[in-house]
Amino acid sequence: MKKSTSQLEQLTGRLSRRAMLGGAATAAVALVQTASGKTLQQGIAVSELLPDDPTKQIGTLAGEVGTRSTFEKVVKKPSDISSRSPLQDFYGIITPSDLHFERHHAGVPVIDPAKHELLIHGLVDKPLVFTVGDLKRFPSVSRIAFLECSGNFRSGKETLSPQDICGLTSQSEWTGVKLSTLFREVGVKPNASWFLAEGSDAAIMTRSIPVKKGWDDAIVAYAQNGEALRPEQGYPVRLFLPGWEGNTSVKWLRRIELSDQPFMTREETSKYTEPIKEGKYRQFSFDIDARSIITFPAYPKTIEKGWIEIRGIAWSGRGKVARVEVSTDAGKSWQPAVLQEPILDKAHTAFRYVWHWNGTETEILSRVTDETGYVQPTLKQLIEARGNAIGYHFNPITAWRIKPDGTVLFKPE
């Protein structure tokens, strides 16, 4: 609501009197309007930034970019090569773009979109170079889907949050042009069965992708959650492969080469392969297996006796979430959770389960079943299937210990 002249005069006078009487240090500068209509800068003391009664003070004026409340301290948790989304702090299924997890192989490049190009060549009828403007002229498509790093697993101590354990998954609405549209433009030859996707970062990230995935649902994305991609997410264009391990969705995409065989790059020979039994390694295990995690209550929260809404997310790279079950007695029994609509293909799905905690020590867990019938395994089952070497594509059931004093701790296995 627009303030009257008398209100503005009162505010200006109140600020000035407080600053003079209190002698407080100026912490910020605000724009105020005088009785004559002039707009002036007014220093604000620290005490003014946290007013007891916000109805007695004009708020911050409209700006060019929105901000979060100073009371909200939600942030990613960075390391040298990645930063993890704060899953325990989210509402709904869309990850704010600036809180989407990051995984780099040589940092975030600075790319001028006016100079950026995408070359498609190899086993095609007509090699072509597309500018970013060219890509935006094609019919666009948007879809909501998750993205997850194949190395998204942490364990080892009780003081781990959902962000620590599996914060390398996030979800956005991705917008761009279907890769199949570009394939039709260049004319893919019948014997082309693989393509190489190459990025413009200092690592020149490359992955071999079956051409079938390109025809099915691959997107050359230039927007995320209604705005241009963030630089950390591949600005100005990236490949996005729904349901597949994150490294295959090559960021800062600059080249696609079609071939009749995989290219056997470093990222698919010495990296991004997982050990299985008898000393063997598995390559090209693209699909993300179904997984779920309770995000509340979880470490470092403390709960009180009474009714509690257990909340979490579940997802699968092979389709939709069909069912999520919750156990409040350390896995002895399981009850169905309520799934929040929309339940989308290859997307995070929110679940809820209302529970009455009587104050006794217990463990709470969740497990998901996807539409293919795949059931999220325990860590013991994963190790029995693959051996003791813990590597990529680990998606075990996660348990939280509830102590009698309400403390919630991760249960490492």
Side-chain angles (χ1 to χ4, degrees), residues 291-311:
R291 191 172 188 179
S292 70
I293 185 169
I294 292 171
T295 55
F296 179 86
Y299 177 81
K301 296 294 185 182
T302 299
I303 60 174
E304 297 179 355
K305 288 190 288 187
W307 291 104
I308 295 170
E309 184 181 71
I310 295 174
R311 299 188 293 269

Side-chain angles (χ1 to χ4, degrees), residues 296-359:
F296 179 86
Y299 177 81
K301 296 294 185 182
T302 299
I303 60 174
E304 297 179 355
K305 288 190 288 187
W307 291 104
I308 295 170
E309 184 181 71
I310 295 174
R311 299 188 293 269
I313 54 172
W315 62 99
S316 173
R318 293 190 175 87
K320 295 181 179 179
V321 168
R323 181 171 68 251
V324 176
E325 298 165 289
V326 170
S327 174
T328 57
D329 56 6
K332 296 182 181 68
S333 63
W334 295 86
Q335 304 299 326
V338 174
L339 302 183
Q340 173 67 58
E341 298 283 352
I343 303 169
L344 302 173
D345 181 54
K346 302 178 179 67
H348 286 173
T349 299
F351 67 84
R352 300 186 175 91
Y353 180 77
V354 178
W355 172 50
H356 188 275
W357 182 50
N358 60 13

Side-chain angles (χ1 to χ4, degrees), residues 73-99:
K73 305 298 183 185
V74 56
V75 293
K76 290 190 284 192
K77 185 172 286 187
S79 67
D80 290 341
I81 59 172
S82 66
S83 58
R84 294 168 171 265
S85 286
L87 302 179
Q88 67 279 356
D89 296 321
F90 292 155
Y91 302 95
I93 58 173
I94 297 296
T95 305
S97 295
D98 60 349
L99 295 175

Side-chain angles (χ1 to χ4, degrees), residues 174-177 219-224 229 233-234 236-240:
W174 305 95
T175 299
V177 55
I219 299 172
V220 176
Y222 45 75
Q224 174 187 14
L229 291 174
Q233 299 306 323
V237 293
R238 71 174 301 165
L239 187 63
F240 181 69

Side-chain angles (χ1 to χ4, degrees), residues 160-188:
L160 292 180
S161 68
Q163 182 175 22
D164 299 314
I165 296 164
C166 62
L168 294 179
T169 185
S170 303
Q171 177 150 286
S172 294
E173 181 192 56
W174 305 95
T175 299
V177 55
K178 290 182 178 179
L179 183 54
S180 59
T181 300
L182 303 181
F183 277 176
R184 292 187 181 92
E185 282 293 303
V186 299
V188 174

Side-chain angles (χ1 to χ4, degrees), residues 77 156-161 164-165 299-300 400 408-410 412:
K77 185 172 286 187
K157 59 181 180 180
E158 292 183 318
T159 53
L160 292 180
S161 68
D164 299 314
I165 296 164
Y299 177 81
W400 301 102
V408 184
L409 296 170
F410 172 57

